[in-house]
């Protein structure tokens, strides 16, 4: 009986040993498979796959956190809650590019233009020729987006010499929504005054030709910065020009610009309208 029990135990231990050997072999085979896969697919590939997986499986608030910040930043800029900023935050370059080139910018412009035209339709234009609108030029009437594309849509600091070289070429395209608005204002007998901080001595002719070539015909005046206003802020310069216009008898029904400095100060007009521009800030 004892001999039979011993034989049974030996048989049982033999089965356990075999199971252990099988598990060990399976583990080693698994390790070999991992080594083979790593040899075929570099570690960096797995890293990228892993990053993509984590991004796609992350909660929306985390996966879109950066874009959410940039949306908030752009809103704060347009509301003039963020001021005196020098460049677009680096993490928002793609957001600003997408906004400017992806269709939303144009939709915003069309909505604004429609609102302005609805307001203008309610104004009874006098026969004395003194009902006026004031429009900024850069990124209000004509676009510098092609230039700012090379500046990473505002992530690079402003380059005065570079911008002057661009502007002197006279190749800024019209902003369609504003051109449509401009033509309606002229047709409705408003006196449209184009007021810009561009230097008259160096950019006068190029700006004049650029506007004509882009269809801005029939405006009342083109007023540019002269040496008398050199070094003065846009608010001071434009305020003084508008004050002079009012003293001449003009009634400024509307004032349109892409910068808050176009719309602040003295004699701003009966209503002001802000054109979106998240690419730069002019004090």
């Amino acid at each position: 009986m004892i001999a039979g029990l011993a034989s049974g135990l030996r048989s049982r231990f033999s089965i356990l040993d075999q199971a252990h050997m099988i598990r060990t072999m399976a583990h080693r085979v698994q390790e070999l498979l991992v080594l083979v896969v790593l040899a075929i697919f570099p570690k960096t590939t797995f890293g990228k796959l892993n990053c993509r997986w984590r991004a796609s499986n992350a909660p929306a608030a985390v996966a879109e956190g950066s874009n959410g910040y940039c949306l908030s930043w752009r809103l704060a800029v347009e509301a003039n809650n963020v001021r005196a900023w020098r460049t677009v935050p680096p993490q928002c370059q793609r957001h600003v590019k997408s906004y400017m080139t992806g269709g939303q910018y144009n939709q915003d412009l069309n909505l604004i233009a429609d609102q302005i035209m609805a307001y203008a339709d309610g104004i009874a234009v006098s026969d004395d020729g003194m009902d006026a609108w004031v429009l900024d030029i850069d990124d209000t009437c004509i676009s510098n987006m092609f230039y700012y594309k090379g500046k990473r849509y505002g992530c690079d600091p402003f380059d005065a010499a570079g911008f002057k070289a661009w502007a002197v070429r006279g190749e800024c395209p019209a902003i369609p929504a504003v051109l449509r608005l401009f033509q309606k204002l002229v047709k409705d007998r408003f006196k449209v005054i184009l007021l810009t901080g561009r230097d008259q001595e160096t950019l006068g002719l190029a700006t004049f030709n650029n506007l004509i070539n882009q269809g801005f015909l029939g405006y009342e005046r083109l007023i540019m910065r002269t040496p008398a206003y050199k070094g003065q802020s846009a608010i001071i310069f434009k305020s003084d020009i508008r004050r002079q216009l009012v003293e001449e008898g003009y009634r400024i029904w509307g004032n349109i610009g892409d910068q808050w400095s176009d719309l602040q100060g003295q004699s701003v007009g009966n209503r002001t309208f802000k054109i979106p521009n998240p690419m730069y800030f002019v004090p």
Side-chain angles (χ1 to χ4, degrees):
M1 182 177 178
I2 296 174
L5 182 59
S7 176
L9 288 172
R10 283 195 299 271
S11 176
R12 191 172 180 180
F13 280 118
S14 177
I15 293 172
L16 291 173
D17 290 341
Q18 290 178 11
H20 177 70
M21 290 177 61
I22 291 172
R23 286 196 299 270
T24 302
M25 291 178 63
H27 181 69
R28 289 181 178 177
V29 169
Q30 189 178 29
E31 290 180 340
L32 287 172
L33 286 174
V34 171
L35 291 173
V36 169
V37 172
L38 287 175
I40 296 174
F41 301 101
K43 185 177 180 181
T44 53
T45 301
F46 275 92
K48 292 177 182 177
L49 290 172
N50 188 38
C51 288
R52 284 198 292 267
W53 181 89
R54 281 184 292 180
S56 62
N57 287 276
V62 176
E64 298 178 3
S66 177
N67 187 53
Y69 166 78
C70 294
L71 280 168
S72 299
W73 177 84
R74 181 163 58 83
L75 174 62
V77 163
E78 294 301 342
N80 203 30
N81 292 326
V82 176
R83 302 181 182 182
W85 52 278
R86 295 191 61 212
T87 61
V88 172
Q91 66 268 36
C92 295
Q93 177 185 346
R94 294 178 66 180
H95 171 80
V96 173
K97 175 184 177 182
S98 176
Y99 173 72
M100 296 299 297
T101 64
Q104 187 60 53
Y105 172 67
N106 288 330
Q107 289 186 39
D108 291 350
L109 288 171
N110 284 324
L111 187 148
I112 294 168
D114 289 342
Q115 292 296 312
I116 297 173
M117 287 189 284
Y119 162 68
D121 284 340
I123 300 171
V125 179
S126 174
D127 291 330
D128 63 5
M130 302 305 286
D131 294 305
W133 280 74
V134 175
L135 275 69
D136 173 56
I137 291 181
D138 282 301
D139 294 298
T140 298
C141 292
I142 53 179
S143 174
N144 294 298
M145 186 163 55
F146 292 120
Y147 170 78
Y148 277 95
K149 178 181 179 181
K151 296 298 181 181
R152 299 190 300 148
Y153 294 92
C155 286
D156 294 337
F158 178 70
D159 173 14
F163 180 79
K164 179 181 175 181
W166 154 258
V168 78
R169 292 161 58 182
E171 298 176 357
C172 300
I175 295 177
V178 180
L179 178 59
R180 173 168 59 93
L181 168 63
F182 169 87
Q183 292 171 338
K184 176 178 171 54
L185 292 174
V186 171
K187 180 181 177 182
D188 290 348
R189 299 186 299 119
F190 287 103
K191 302 301 180 181
V192 179
I193 298 167
L194 303 180
L195 175 59
T196 176
R198 287 189 176 197
D199 179 65
Q200 181 174 320
E201 291 184 345
T202 57
L203 295 176
L205 182 59
T207 302
F208 174 79
N209 290 332
N210 196 159
L211 290 167
I212 290 177
N213 292 336
Q214 292 301 314
F216 289 91
L217 306 170
Y219 56 81
E220 177 75 0
R221 295 186 195 177
L222 169 60
I223 303 175
M224 306 182 70
R225 188 186 292 266
T226 61
Y229 294 101
K230 185 176 181 180
Q232 294 188 359
S233 70
I235 294 177
I236 294 175
F237 160 60
K238 293 194 172 185
S239 287
D240 194 51
I241 296 297
R242 291 192 302 263
R243 178 187 58 77
Q244 292 177 37
L245 292 171
V246 171
E247 289 177 354
E248 290 177 31
Y250 284 104
R251 296 178 291 274
I252 302 177
W253 287 102
N255 182 10
I256 306 171
D258 69 298
Q259 300 292 316
W260 279 99
S261 54
D262 298 328
L263 313 174
Q264 296 173 324
Q266 302 177 43
S267 307
V268 296
N270 193 58
R271 281 194 65 177
T272 60
F273 297 89
K274 173 75 167 62
I275 298 293
N277 184 355
M279 297 186 296
Y280 60 87
F281 177 90
V282 177

